[in-house]
Amino acid sequence: MEIVEVGILSEGEVEQIISSDFNPNRCGFENKGEIWVEGILNLGISPAKLVEIMKERFISSGGAIFEGKSLSSISVHDDLAVLKLSDGDCLPCRLVVDAMGNFSPIVRQIRSGRKPDGLCLVVGACARGFERNTTSDVIFSSSSVKKAGNSGVQLFWEAFPAGSGPADRTTYMFTYVDPQFGFPKLEELLEIYWDLMPEYQDVTLETLDIRRVIFGIFPTHRDSPLPAAFDRILQVGDASGIQSPVSFGGFGSLTRHLGRLSNGIYEAVSGDFLDAYSLRLLNPYMPNLSASWLFQRAMSTRPQTNVSPTFINELLYANFQSMQKLGDSVLRPFLQDVIQFGPLVKTLGLVMLSRPQILPSIFKQVGLGVILNWSGHFVMLGYYTFLSNFIDPVVRPWVESLPPRNKYQWKRYLEAWKYGAGLDYRQEE
Protein backbone atom coordinates (compact mmCIF):
# COMPACT_ATOMS: atom_id res chain seq x y z
CA MET A 1 0.00 0.00 0.00
CA GLU A 2 2.94 2.35 0.55
CA ILE A 3 3.93 1.80 -3.10
CA VAL A 4 0.32 2.57 -4.10
CA GLU A 5 0.29 5.75 -1.98
CA VAL A 6 3.50 6.97 -3.62
CA GLY A 7 1.68 6.61 -6.94
CA ILE A 8 3.80 4.09 -8.86
CA LEU A 9 1.45 1.12 -8.52
CA SER A 10 -2.35 0.84 -8.62
CA GLU A 11 -4.38 -1.37 -6.29
CA GLY A 12 -5.35 -3.47 -9.33
CA GLU A 13 -1.68 -4.00 -10.16
CA VAL A 14 -0.99 -4.97 -6.55
CA GLU A 15 -3.52 -7.80 -6.95
CA GLN A 16 -1.70 -8.93 -10.11
CA ILE A 17 1.69 -9.23 -8.44
CA ILE A 18 0.48 -11.14 -5.33
CA SER A 19 1.24 -14.80 -6.01
CA SER A 20 0.35 -16.28 -2.61
CA ASP A 21 -1.47 -15.30 0.56
CA PHE A 22 -1.06 -17.37 3.72
CA ASN A 23 -2.19 -17.16 7.35
CA PRO A 24 -1.67 -17.65 10.27
CA ASN A 25 2.04 -17.03 10.86
CA ARG A 26 4.10 -18.50 13.69
CA CYS A 27 6.79 -17.23 16.07
CA GLY A 28 8.25 -20.02 18.23
CA PHE A 29 11.31 -20.73 20.34
CA GLU A 30 12.54 -24.28 21.13
CA ASN A 31 9.47 -25.85 22.72
CA LYS A 32 8.93 -22.87 25.02
CA GLY A 33 5.70 -21.84 23.33
CA GLU A 34 4.34 -20.43 20.10
CA ILE A 35 2.72 -17.13 19.18
CA TRP A 36 0.49 -17.00 16.09
CA VAL A 37 -0.24 -13.77 14.25
CA GLU A 38 -2.31 -12.81 11.20
CA GLY A 39 -1.27 -10.54 8.35
CA ILE A 40 2.48 -10.33 9.12
CA LEU A 41 4.82 -11.37 6.27
CA ASN A 42 1.86 -13.22 4.79
CA LEU A 43 2.09 -12.28 1.10
CA GLY A 44 4.26 -13.70 -1.64
CA ILE A 45 4.79 -11.51 -4.69
CA SER A 46 6.03 -12.25 -8.19
CA PRO A 47 9.27 -10.27 -8.69
CA ALA A 48 9.02 -10.79 -12.47
CA LYS A 49 5.55 -9.18 -12.64
CA LEU A 50 6.51 -6.35 -10.26
CA VAL A 51 9.68 -5.50 -12.20
CA GLU A 52 7.82 -5.66 -15.53
CA ILE A 53 5.12 -3.24 -14.32
CA MET A 54 7.74 -0.89 -12.84
CA LYS A 55 9.79 -1.02 -16.05
CA GLU A 56 6.79 -0.09 -18.21
CA ARG A 57 5.85 2.76 -15.85
CA PHE A 58 9.41 4.07 -15.74
CA ILE A 59 9.82 4.07 -19.53
CA SER A 60 6.37 5.59 -20.12
CA SER A 61 7.32 8.41 -17.71
CA GLY A 62 10.38 9.26 -19.82
CA GLY A 63 12.93 7.00 -18.14
CA ALA A 64 15.61 5.09 -20.04
CA ILE A 65 17.08 1.70 -19.10
CA PHE A 66 20.55 0.70 -20.30
CA GLU A 67 20.43 -3.08 -20.06
CA GLY A 68 23.60 -5.09 -20.47
CA LYS A 69 25.80 -2.15 -19.55
CA SER A 70 27.91 -1.67 -16.43
CA LEU A 71 29.31 1.35 -14.65
CA SER A 72 33.08 1.80 -14.41
CA SER A 73 33.44 5.19 -12.69
CA ILE A 74 31.71 8.41 -11.63
CA SER A 75 33.28 11.85 -11.74
CA VAL A 76 31.61 14.70 -9.86
CA HIS A 77 31.85 18.30 -11.10
CA ASP A 78 30.42 21.60 -9.87
CA ASP A 79 27.47 21.48 -12.25
CA LEU A 80 26.94 17.75 -12.91
CA ALA A 81 28.11 14.19 -12.38
CA VAL A 82 29.35 12.04 -15.26
CA LEU A 83 28.88 8.27 -15.27
CA LYS A 84 31.42 6.45 -17.40
CA LEU A 85 30.21 3.09 -18.68
CA SER A 86 32.43 0.09 -19.29
CA ASP A 87 31.88 0.35 -23.07
CA GLY A 88 33.23 3.91 -23.08
CA ASP A 89 29.87 5.73 -23.20
CA CYS A 90 29.23 8.60 -20.78
CA LEU A 91 25.99 9.66 -19.07
CA PRO A 92 25.85 13.20 -17.62
CA CYS A 93 23.33 13.78 -14.81
CA ARG A 94 22.51 16.14 -11.96
CA LEU A 95 22.15 13.45 -9.29
CA VAL A 96 23.34 9.84 -9.01
CA VAL A 97 21.08 7.60 -6.89
CA ASP A 98 23.09 4.62 -5.69
CA ALA A 99 20.72 1.68 -5.21
CA MET A 100 23.40 -1.01 -5.65
CA GLY A 101 22.78 -2.65 -2.30
CA ASN A 102 25.07 -3.73 0.52
CA PHE A 103 27.98 -4.40 -1.80
CA SER A 104 27.84 -1.13 -3.75
CA PRO A 105 31.38 -0.20 -4.85
CA ILE A 106 30.61 3.44 -3.97
CA VAL A 107 29.71 2.38 -0.42
CA ARG A 108 32.91 0.31 -0.22
CA GLN A 109 34.84 3.44 -1.16
CA ILE A 110 33.01 5.54 1.47
CA ARG A 111 33.49 2.96 4.22
CA SER A 112 37.15 2.44 3.21
CA GLY A 113 36.88 -1.32 3.55
CA ARG A 114 35.82 -1.20 7.24
CA LYS A 115 34.65 -4.53 8.59
CA PRO A 116 30.87 -4.62 9.25
CA ASP A 117 29.72 -4.61 12.86
CA GLY A 118 27.31 -7.46 12.34
CA LEU A 119 26.35 -10.09 9.79
CA CYS A 120 23.19 -12.02 9.05
CA LEU A 121 24.04 -15.27 7.25
CA VAL A 122 21.19 -16.94 5.37
CA VAL A 123 20.90 -20.30 3.59
CA GLY A 124 17.81 -22.05 2.31
CA ALA A 125 15.94 -23.62 -0.55
CA CYS A 126 12.67 -23.59 -2.44
CA ALA A 127 11.35 -27.13 -2.88
CA ARG A 128 8.24 -28.91 -4.18
CA GLY A 129 6.53 -31.70 -2.26
CA PHE A 130 5.19 -30.16 0.96
CA GLU A 131 1.75 -31.55 1.81
CA ARG A 132 1.07 -29.09 4.65
CA ASN A 133 1.67 -25.71 3.10
CA THR A 134 -0.85 -23.09 4.25
CA THR A 135 0.95 -21.32 7.13
CA SER A 136 4.28 -19.57 7.57
CA ASP A 137 6.98 -19.09 10.18
CA VAL A 138 8.02 -15.47 10.79
CA ILE A 139 10.79 -16.61 13.16
CA PHE A 140 11.23 -20.08 14.63
CA SER A 141 14.02 -21.68 16.62
CA SER A 142 14.08 -25.46 16.97
CA SER A 143 17.31 -25.76 18.98
CA SER A 144 19.69 -23.93 21.30
CA VAL A 145 23.20 -22.79 20.30
CA LYS A 146 24.90 -25.21 17.88
CA LYS A 147 28.42 -25.62 16.52
CA ALA A 148 28.93 -24.52 12.90
CA GLY A 149 32.51 -24.74 11.70
CA ASN A 150 34.58 -23.28 14.54
CA SER A 151 31.78 -21.03 15.79
CA GLY A 152 28.79 -21.40 18.05
CA VAL A 153 25.62 -20.05 16.42
CA GLN A 154 21.96 -19.65 17.31
CA LEU A 155 19.98 -20.85 14.30
CA PHE A 156 16.59 -19.45 13.31
CA TRP A 157 14.14 -20.51 10.63
CA GLU A 158 11.66 -18.83 8.35
CA ALA A 159 9.28 -20.73 6.06
CA PHE A 160 6.40 -19.82 3.77
CA PRO A 161 4.46 -21.12 0.75
CA ALA A 162 5.97 -20.18 -2.61
CA GLY A 163 3.85 -18.78 -5.42
CA SER A 164 5.15 -21.27 -7.99
CA GLY A 165 2.83 -24.10 -6.93
CA PRO A 166 0.52 -25.31 -4.11
CA ALA A 167 3.13 -27.78 -2.77
CA ASP A 168 6.10 -25.40 -3.19
CA ARG A 169 7.65 -23.99 -0.03
CA THR A 170 10.65 -21.81 0.76
CA THR A 171 12.60 -22.45 3.96
CA TYR A 172 15.42 -20.24 5.23
CA MET A 173 17.86 -20.93 8.03
CA PHE A 174 19.65 -17.85 9.32
CA THR A 175 21.92 -16.69 12.11
CA TYR A 176 23.37 -13.43 13.43
CA VAL A 177 27.13 -13.26 14.00
CA ASP A 178 29.69 -10.74 15.21
CA PRO A 179 32.54 -10.64 12.65
CA GLN A 180 35.18 -9.94 15.29
CA PHE A 181 34.62 -13.41 16.78
CA GLY A 182 34.70 -15.29 13.47
CA PHE A 183 31.79 -16.97 11.76
CA PRO A 184 30.96 -20.14 9.79
CA LYS A 185 31.18 -20.47 6.02
CA LEU A 186 27.92 -20.54 4.08
CA GLU A 187 28.83 -24.07 2.92
CA GLU A 188 29.01 -25.19 6.55
CA LEU A 189 25.61 -23.65 7.27
CA LEU A 190 24.14 -25.35 4.19
CA GLU A 191 25.31 -28.74 5.46
CA ILE A 192 23.55 -28.06 8.76
CA TYR A 193 20.47 -26.86 6.85
CA TRP A 194 20.15 -30.17 4.97
CA ASP A 195 20.56 -32.07 8.26
CA LEU A 196 17.97 -30.08 10.23
CA MET A 197 15.37 -28.95 7.67
CA PRO A 198 13.57 -32.33 7.28
CA GLU A 199 12.86 -32.56 11.02
CA TYR A 200 11.90 -28.86 11.18
CA GLN A 201 9.32 -29.26 8.36
CA ASP A 202 8.42 -32.91 9.10
CA VAL A 203 9.45 -34.13 5.65
CA THR A 204 12.13 -36.34 4.11
CA LEU A 205 14.58 -34.97 1.56
CA GLU A 206 13.86 -37.90 -0.74
CA THR A 207 10.25 -36.77 -1.22
CA LEU A 208 11.21 -33.19 -2.13
CA ASP A 209 12.06 -31.77 -5.53
CA ILE A 210 14.63 -29.02 -4.82
CA ARG A 211 13.86 -26.14 -7.17
CA ARG A 212 16.42 -23.59 -6.03
CA VAL A 213 19.11 -23.18 -3.37
CA ILE A 214 19.38 -19.74 -1.74
CA PHE A 215 22.24 -18.20 0.24
CA GLY A 216 23.34 -14.72 1.20
CA ILE A 217 25.34 -12.45 3.49
CA PHE A 218 23.76 -9.29 4.89
CA PRO A 219 26.32 -6.95 6.51
CA THR A 220 25.25 -4.19 8.88
CA HIS A 221 27.15 -1.18 10.21
CA ARG A 222 26.44 0.78 13.37
CA ASP A 223 27.03 4.12 11.66
CA SER A 224 23.88 3.81 9.59
CA PRO A 225 22.09 5.31 7.73
CA LEU A 226 25.16 6.21 5.69
CA PRO A 227 25.47 10.01 5.25
CA ALA A 228 26.17 11.27 1.74
CA ALA A 229 29.94 11.56 1.31
CA PHE A 230 30.03 13.31 -2.07
CA ASP A 231 28.15 16.07 -3.84
CA ARG A 232 25.53 14.77 -6.30
CA ILE A 233 25.62 11.14 -5.06
CA LEU A 234 22.97 9.70 -2.72
CA GLN A 235 22.63 6.15 -1.37
CA VAL A 236 19.14 4.64 -1.02
CA GLY A 237 17.89 1.23 0.10
CA ASP A 238 20.41 -1.26 1.49
CA ALA A 239 23.28 0.84 0.11
CA SER A 240 22.30 3.56 2.61
CA GLY A 241 22.09 1.15 5.55
CA ILE A 242 18.48 2.18 6.21
CA GLN A 243 17.47 -1.44 6.89
CA SER A 244 17.24 -2.78 10.42
CA PRO A 245 20.23 -4.88 11.58
CA VAL A 246 17.68 -7.56 12.52
CA SER A 247 16.12 -7.87 9.04
CA PHE A 248 17.47 -9.61 5.93
CA GLY A 249 17.68 -6.54 3.82
CA GLY A 250 15.64 -3.59 2.98
CA PHE A 251 12.65 -4.15 0.70
CA GLY A 252 10.30 -3.36 3.59
CA SER A 253 12.43 -0.48 4.88
CA LEU A 254 12.81 0.90 1.36
CA THR A 255 9.05 0.97 0.77
CA ARG A 256 8.52 2.52 4.21
CA HIS A 257 10.87 5.39 3.33
CA LEU A 258 9.85 5.67 -0.32
CA GLY A 259 7.48 8.61 0.15
CA ARG A 260 9.98 10.51 2.31
CA LEU A 261 12.85 9.86 -0.10
CA SER A 262 10.96 10.59 -3.32
CA ASN A 263 9.65 13.91 -1.96
CA GLY A 264 13.05 14.85 -0.55
CA ILE A 265 14.94 13.97 -3.73
CA TYR A 266 12.41 15.91 -5.82
CA GLU A 267 12.88 18.99 -3.62
CA ALA A 268 16.68 18.60 -3.66
CA VAL A 269 16.81 18.40 -7.46
CA SER A 270 14.22 21.18 -7.96
CA GLY A 271 16.04 23.55 -5.62
CA ASP A 272 19.53 22.42 -6.72
CA PHE A 273 20.36 21.39 -3.15
CA LEU A 274 22.74 18.68 -4.35
CA ASP A 275 25.78 19.36 -2.16
CA ALA A 276 26.82 16.59 0.24
CA TYR A 277 25.45 18.45 3.30
CA SER A 278 21.97 18.83 1.78
CA LEU A 279 21.92 15.20 0.63
CA ARG A 280 23.03 14.02 4.09
CA LEU A 281 19.72 15.32 5.45
CA LEU A 282 17.97 12.60 3.41
CA ASN A 283 19.80 9.85 5.34
CA PRO A 284 19.72 11.28 8.87
CA TYR A 285 20.47 9.70 12.24
CA MET A 286 17.50 7.56 13.32
CA PRO A 287 17.52 6.45 16.95
CA ASN A 288 14.98 3.66 16.39
CA LEU A 289 17.34 2.10 13.84
CA SER A 290 20.32 2.43 16.18
CA ALA A 291 18.27 0.99 19.07
CA SER A 292 17.76 -2.19 17.01
CA TRP A 293 21.42 -3.00 17.52
CA LEU A 294 20.74 -4.32 21.01
CA PHE A 295 18.37 -6.96 19.59
CA GLN A 296 20.89 -8.02 16.92
CA ARG A 297 23.61 -8.36 19.54
CA ALA A 298 21.28 -10.25 21.91
CA MET A 299 20.55 -12.77 19.13
CA SER A 300 24.27 -13.28 18.32
CA THR A 301 26.49 -15.71 20.24
CA ARG A 302 29.69 -14.51 21.90
CA PRO A 303 32.46 -16.83 23.06
CA GLN A 304 33.40 -17.17 26.73
CA THR A 305 30.39 -15.35 28.16
CA ASN A 306 29.30 -18.24 30.44
CA VAL A 307 25.73 -17.80 29.23
CA SER A 308 23.45 -20.83 28.94
CA PRO A 309 23.08 -22.21 25.36
CA THR A 310 19.31 -21.83 25.80
CA PHE A 311 19.50 -18.15 26.86
CA ILE A 312 18.78 -16.57 23.46
CA ASN A 313 15.59 -18.59 23.05
CA GLU A 314 14.55 -17.84 26.63
CA LEU A 315 15.09 -14.12 26.13
CA LEU A 316 13.24 -14.03 22.81
CA TYR A 317 10.29 -15.97 24.15
CA ALA A 318 10.10 -13.70 27.21
CA ASN A 319 10.02 -10.66 24.91
CA PHE A 320 7.47 -12.09 22.50
CA GLN A 321 5.26 -13.31 25.35
CA SER A 322 5.33 -9.84 26.91
CA MET A 323 4.53 -8.16 23.58
CA GLN A 324 1.63 -10.54 23.00
CA LYS A 325 0.20 -9.68 26.45
CA LEU A 326 0.54 -5.97 25.67
CA GLY A 327 -1.48 -6.37 22.44
CA ASP A 328 -1.22 -5.67 18.72
CA SER A 329 -0.15 -2.03 19.19
CA VAL A 330 3.11 -3.38 20.65
CA LEU A 331 3.61 -6.70 18.83
CA ARG A 332 2.76 -5.75 15.25
CA PRO A 333 5.16 -2.78 14.82
CA PHE A 334 8.02 -4.88 16.19
CA LEU A 335 7.28 -7.76 13.82
CA GLN A 336 7.19 -5.26 10.96
CA ASP A 337 10.64 -3.97 11.96
CA VAL A 338 9.54 -0.67 13.52
CA ILE A 339 10.88 0.26 16.95
CA GLN A 340 8.80 2.84 18.87
CA PHE A 341 9.46 4.40 22.27
CA GLY A 342 6.16 3.61 24.00
CA PRO A 343 5.94 -0.08 22.99
CA LEU A 344 9.65 -0.56 23.77
CA VAL A 345 9.28 0.90 27.28
CA LYS A 346 6.22 -1.29 27.95
CA THR A 347 7.94 -4.45 26.71
CA LEU A 348 11.18 -3.91 28.62
CA GLY A 349 9.25 -3.02 31.75
CA LEU A 350 7.09 -6.15 31.58
CA VAL A 351 10.09 -8.41 30.87
CA MET A 352 11.99 -6.97 33.87
CA LEU A 353 8.96 -7.38 36.14
CA SER A 354 8.07 -10.89 35.00
CA ARG A 355 11.62 -12.27 34.43
CA PRO A 356 14.04 -10.31 36.64
CA GLN A 357 16.35 -13.33 36.84
CA ILE A 358 17.19 -12.93 33.15
CA LEU A 359 18.87 -9.51 33.59
CA PRO A 360 22.39 -10.73 34.63
CA SER A 361 22.55 -12.98 31.55
CA ILE A 362 21.57 -10.05 29.31
CA PHE A 363 24.57 -8.05 30.58
CA LYS A 364 26.86 -11.04 29.98
CA GLN A 365 25.44 -11.70 26.53
CA VAL A 366 25.58 -8.21 25.04
CA GLY A 367 28.25 -6.53 27.19
CA LEU A 368 28.10 -3.41 29.35
CA GLY A 369 29.55 -1.18 26.61
CA VAL A 370 26.78 -2.12 24.16
CA ILE A 371 24.09 -1.49 26.78
CA LEU A 372 25.52 1.93 27.65
CA ASN A 373 25.70 2.83 23.95
CA TRP A 374 22.14 1.59 23.44
CA SER A 375 20.94 3.65 26.42
CA GLY A 376 21.94 6.83 24.59
CA HIS A 377 19.91 5.84 21.52
CA PHE A 378 17.00 4.86 23.80
CA VAL A 379 17.00 8.37 25.32
CA MET A 380 17.17 9.89 21.84
CA LEU A 381 14.25 7.69 20.75
CA GLY A 382 12.17 9.23 23.52
CA TYR A 383 13.42 12.72 22.60
CA TYR A 384 12.54 12.28 18.91
CA THR A 385 9.10 10.98 19.92
CA PHE A 386 8.56 14.14 21.97
CA LEU A 387 9.82 16.39 19.17
CA SER A 388 7.60 14.77 16.54
CA ASN A 389 4.47 14.70 18.69
CA PHE A 390 4.72 18.14 20.30
CA ILE A 391 7.25 20.39 18.55
CA ASP A 392 6.51 19.42 14.93
CA PRO A 393 2.89 20.75 14.97
CA VAL A 394 4.09 24.05 16.47
CA VAL A 395 6.95 24.76 14.04
CA ARG A 396 5.46 23.33 10.83
CA PRO A 397 3.54 26.54 9.86
CA TRP A 398 6.74 28.55 10.45
CA VAL A 399 8.73 26.10 8.30
CA GLU A 400 6.36 26.66 5.37
CA SER A 401 7.21 30.40 5.42
CA LEU A 402 11.01 29.95 5.21
CA PRO A 403 13.21 30.59 2.14
CA PRO A 404 13.61 27.49 -0.11
CA ARG A 405 16.93 26.13 1.23
CA ASN A 406 15.98 26.64 4.90
CA LYS A 407 12.55 25.15 4.21
CA TYR A 408 14.16 22.09 2.59
CA GLN A 409 16.45 21.60 5.58
CA TRP A 410 13.72 21.98 8.20
CA LYS A 411 11.38 19.61 6.38
CA ARG A 412 14.15 17.01 6.54
CA TYR A 413 14.50 17.63 10.31
CA LEU A 414 10.77 17.07 10.82
CA GLU A 415 10.92 13.85 8.78
CA ALA A 416 13.94 12.65 10.78
CA TRP A 417 12.00 13.13 14.04
CA LYS A 418 8.98 11.27 12.70
CA TYR A 419 10.76 8.36 11.04
CA GLY A 420 13.49 8.20 13.68
CA ALA A 421 10.79 7.64 16.31
CA GLY A 422 8.92 5.07 14.18
CA LEU A 423 5.87 7.34 14.05
CA ASP A 424 5.51 6.83 10.30
CA TYR A 425 4.10 3.38 11.14
CA ARG A 426 0.34 3.09 10.82
CA GLN A 427 -1.62 0.23 12.37
CA GLU A 428 -3.65 -1.59 9.73
CA GLU A 429 -7.39 -1.44 10.15
Side-chain angles (χ1 to χ4, degrees), residues 222 244-246 285-298 315 319 334 339-349 351-352 359 362-363 366-383 420:
R222 282 193 187 183
S244 159
V246 179
Y285 164 69
M286 294 193 178
N288 62 343
L289 186 65
S290 299
S292 301
W293 267 101
L294 185 71
F295 309 119
Q296 206 259 19
R297 180 57 65 88
L315 176 63
N319 274 282
F334 182 82
I339 304 298
Q340 297 174 315
F341 185 70
L344 183 58
V345 169
K346 291 177 186 176
T347 303
L348 294 177
V351 169
M352 285 190 282
L359 292 178
I362 292 176
F363 277 84
V366 302
L368 180 60
V370 171
I371 289 178
L372 289 175
N373 179 269
W374 173 84
S375 299
H377 299 305
F378 175 72
V379 170
M380 290 302 292
L381 180 61
Y383 181 51

Side-chain angles (χ1 to χ4, degrees), residues 56-67:
E56 289 176 6
R57 181 138 301 150
F58 181 66
I59 292 172
S60 67
S61 300
I65 299 173
F66 298 86
E67 297 194 60

